[in-house]
Amino acid sequence: MVVEVQPPTAERTDRRRGTKQRTRLPRGADLVIWLALVCGAGIMAFPLYWMFATAVRPAGELFTGEFDLIPSALAWSNFSEAWGKLPWGTFYQNSVIIAVIGTCLTVFINLLAGYAFAKYSFKGRDVIFILMISTLMVPIQVILVPTFMVVSEMGLVNSIWGVILPRGAEAFGIFLVRQYLVSMPNELMESARLDGASEFRIFWSIVLPLCKPVIAVLTIFTFMWRWNDFVLPLVTMQDQSSFTVPLGLNFAKGLYYTDWTGAMAMTLLSIIPMLIVFVIFQRSFVQGIASSGMK
């Protein structure tokens, strides 16, 4: 049996060429897009540059009335002088402990809860999930007084656990994990159950290794929220020895005078831990966002 292969007609060739031409942007459009992206990146990066320029600028140049983008000199001593005025070492130690422990606890609880909502069927599951998601619309100021009363009754005032435990689970994180695990085939868990594995063993050995992208997303977001948290530590941390970095930055503002070069220097240093966490988990960040249904 001989099969005749017809050569592509002119209509098909033109159609293919037309498709390629339609999907390819002209060079002028590419240039406009690149210029727009560069301008957007410059606008986003300018506050960071201005923070750095203010931190290393001599204090006498701040109130001269002149707008200079480049400092006349680099006063690196602003960092050491600002560091010595307040116990910043204690502030950073408290923030690191709260951020690390709080991130690990919150991410683990969110993974467990999201896995339960995605792969277990129980009475009232959908209703509970909707009620939990609705809490995202409740501002923290509404629950601040009840949260402080609970923390006070538990004797956790001026304790890191008074900041960690009230936010041990996040509705956003549970929703993210649930959306990620919905597409995971149930056959993986069923085969493990047939082999005699316990439910926690299934979660730890099968589900958790497949959740690396969403774990990276949760780690970045949770660490950022914990590190920048201001309201809850402001209420529960009353002694200066228990202050965090955001409270220290607020405490550095004086009533009649503020050392803006020192404040900007400490603010610039406070960004470094978040940058380190983002660099570590950046490879899985985009993949986790895309696969979790957030587009």
Side-chain angles (χ1 to χ4, degrees):
M1 181 177 180
V2 180
V3 180
E4 296 182 359
V5 180
Q6 297 180 356
T9 60
E11 182 180 357
R12 293 179 181 177
T13 304
D14 294 340
R15 189 181 303 172
R16 294 176 181 175
R17 291 178 179 176
T19 303
K20 293 182 179 180
Q21 291 178 358
R22 285 194 300 269
T23 56
R24 184 177 181 181
L25 295 175
R27 293 185 177 180
D30 293 341
L31 181 60
V32 172
I33 293 175
W34 278 106
L35 289 177
L37 292 175
V38 169
C39 293
I43 293 174
M44 296 295 293
F46 181 76
L48 294 177
Y49 169 75
W50 186 252
M51 185 188 306
F52 171 78
T54 306
V56 299
R57 191 187 301 270
E61 295 184 5
L62 294 178
F63 304 102
T64 58
E66 299 179 358
F67 183 74
D68 295 328
L69 291 176
I70 302 176
S72 60
L74 298 179
W76 298 105
S77 59
N78 293 337
F79 289 88
S80 59
E81 293 177 0
W83 187 271
K85 292 181 180 179
L86 290 173
W88 288 103
T90 303
F91 298 163
Y92 273 88
Q93 180 180 355
N94 296 333
S95 290
V96 169
I97 294 175
I98 291 174
V100 172
I101 298 178
T103 300
C104 295
L105 180 65
T106 302
V107 170
F108 185 70
I109 294 177
N110 290 344
L111 289 170
L112 285 173
Y115 172 65
F117 278 113
K119 296 303 178 183
Y120 286 93
S121 297
F122 51 89
K123 188 176 181 179
R125 181 189 65 177
D126 296 336
V127 176
I128 296 175
F129 184 74
I130 293 174
L131 291 176
M132 183 198 63
I133 294 299
S134 64
T135 59
L136 292 173
M137 297 182 292
V138 180
I140 190 176
Q141 290 79 9
V142 176
I143 61 175
L144 191 59
V145 175
T147 301
F148 175 76
M149 294 178 63
V150 173
V151 170
S152 179
E153 291 294 331
M154 297 177 63
L156 298 178
V157 178
N158 287 324
S159 173
I160 61 172
W161 298 107
V163 181
I164 294 174
L165 293 181
R167 301 188 62 181
E170 296 284 350
F172 173 77
I174 297 174
F175 168 77
L176 197 69
V177 176
R178 190 258 181 190
Q179 295 300 109
Y180 181 85
L181 293 179
V182 163
S183 60
M184 182 178 295
N186 296 328
E187 287 77 9
L188 294 175
M189 283 73 75
E190 294 297 335
S191 60
R193 292 188 182 99
L194 292 176
D195 293 336
S198 62
E199 295 299 325
F200 185 79
R201 180 71 176 181
I202 295 172
F203 170 78
W204 186 264
S205 301
I206 297 177
V207 178
L208 203 60
L210 299 176
C211 292
K212 291 182 180 180
V214 74
I215 290 175
V217 176
L218 286 177
T219 301
I220 292 175
F221 281 133
T222 306
F223 187 89
M224 179 182 65
W225 293 334
R226 294 286 188 173
W227 184 265
N228 292 329
D229 193 8
F230 176 76
V231 177
L232 191 57
L234 179 65
V235 175
T236 58
M237 302 296 191
Q238 299 177 356
D239 295 337
Q240 184 176 346
S241 59
S242 60
F243 279 6
T244 58
V245 173
L247 294 183
L249 293 175
N250 182 70
F251 190 74
K253 295 190 302 182
L255 181 61
Y256 301 103
Y257 173 76
T258 300
D259 181 15
W260 291 109
T261 56
M264 288 297 177
M266 293 298 100
T267 304
L268 190 65
L269 291 180
S270 67
I271 303 175
I272 296 177
M274 290 185 291
L275 292 179
I276 294 175
V277 172
F278 181 78
V279 169
I280 294 175
F281 295 97
Q282 65 173 337
R283 292 184 178 180
S284 302
F285 179 75
V286 177
Q287 180 183 357
I289 288 291
S291 58
S292 300
M294 299 183 59
K295 298 180 180 180

